[in-house]
Amino acid sequence: MAPRAASRLESLGFREVQLYTAGKLDWLAAGLPTDGENSTRPRAGTVCHRDVPTCALTEPVGEVRERVRGAGWDAAVVVDGARVVLGLLRADDLAKSADAKVEQAMSSGPSTFRPYVPIKEMADYLTKHELESSPITTSDGRLVGLLYRSDAVREADGCPDCARKMI
Amino acid sequence: MPTLIDRGQVQEFVAAGAQLIEVLPTEEYGEDHLPGARSLPLPQIDADSAKTITRGQPLVVYCWDAA
């Protein structure tokens, strides 16, 4: 749409027309501010827990479990050195053999969502798919935080449906 | 041909005074738009609406993605 708009503007005599090809999706995925109705409502990125514990593939589950539970958590996100999400250690994964490596115990390839998704849509999705929690990541897969369904449902109370679905 | 720019260049152009134009339907503009952008949906771009755009200043046009 934007390429056609830019060409149309040029046909109307405008000479310095720049085309932001990646568009609003790219802007939102970068976590940059916007104006508009949604900008005042909670989104996945504002409700998620950014302080969620992380761990590496090669760590023993027992060590991670001790650290995670000691900090009051029941889950950890498995990331690489660049904080790209590789997996999720949910409560039942953390209960696995202490000697197992995280790589063997984790839930691989969890569904991830972008920070800009309205919390109402997140709540509906997590409820429909019976997901207890999901990692929120940037468009290049880097961890932003962990969103719990219970938080999403609570924050979504009273939020209207959005005209455009973002999942 | 329009010049293709990325997110960082958008910020530079806007800081330098460029006009930012979202060409999506007004409903989507109302939900979310880049700060400072104005709404001019593609079907409404014509000689009349062009009069509302300041000439002589760069324009940055965007929609949802590259489509």
Side-chain angles (χ1 to χ4, degrees):
Chain A
M1 183 178 287
R4 288 180 286 150
S7 292
R8 182 72 179 108
L9 287 165
E10 285 191 329
S11 76
L12 290 165
F14 292 93
R15 292 287 168 258
E16 293 184 75
V17 181
Q18 325 296 320
L19 179 56
Y20 177 23
T21 47
K24 187 158 62 175
L25 182 61
D26 172 69
W27 188 272
L28 287 163
L32 293 171
T34 57
D35 286 337
E37 295 167 12
N38 281 351
S39 67
T40 63
R41 296 177 185 144
R43 303 179 193 255
T46 57
V47 178
C48 71
H49 294 267
R50 293 174 183 254
D51 56 346
V52 61
T54 60
C55 61
L57 285 172
T58 54
E59 289 186 79
V61 169
E63 290 182 15
V64 175
R65 180 168 60 223
E66 187 175 338
R67 187 172 79 239
V68 168
R69 289 180 178 170
W73 289 82
D74 62 356
V77 183
V78 187
V79 298
D80 69 8
R83 284 180 65 83
V84 172
V85 173
L86 302 175
L88 183 60
L89 278 176
R90 295 188 170 96
D92 54 344
D93 298 322
L94 282 169
K96 292 177 180 174
S97 169
D99 296 329
K101 298 295 185 190
V102 165
E103 185 175 17
Q104 299 165 313
M106 70 180 188
S107 302
S108 296
S111 296
T112 64
F113 302 89
R114 304 292 84 76
Y116 55 76
V117 178
I119 205 65
K120 175 71 167 67
E121 194 175 353
M122 284 299 316
D124 291 347
Y125 187 95
L126 294 175
T127 299
K128 179 180 178 182
H129 295 274
E130 299 181 339
L131 292 172
E132 182 183 329
S133 61
S134 279
I136 306 303
T137 70
T138 59
S139 55
D140 56 359
R142 295 172 198 270
L143 178 66
V144 174
L146 187 67
L147 178 66
Y148 282 93
R149 183 174 69 203
S150 56
D151 291 333
V153 169
R154 185 186 65 250
E155 292 290 332
D157 185 37
C159 290
D161 289 327
C162 296
R164 181 185 182 96
K165 296 298 181 187
M166 294 189 175
I167 294 179
Chain B
M1 288 288 289
T3 303
L4 308 184
I5 61 173
D6 61 21
R7 189 191 321 137
Q9 292 170 302
V10 170
Q11 292 169 310
E12 291 171 5
F13 268 101
V14 170
Q19 299 171 87
L20 196 51
I21 298 175
E22 177 169 317
V23 298
L24 290 163
T26 53
E27 186 178 42
E28 293 182 35
Y29 172 87
E31 286 199 335
D32 268 312
H33 54 268
L34 274 58
R38 59 166 289 186
S39 175
L40 184 55
L42 174 60
Q44 296 176 21
I45 299 176
D46 57 22
D48 284 338
S49 62
K51 294 174 185 171
T52 67
I53 302 172
T54 304
R55 293 187 179 271
Q57 288 183 348
L59 305 181
V60 176
V61 178
Y62 73 92
C63 61
W64 185 247
D65 52 23

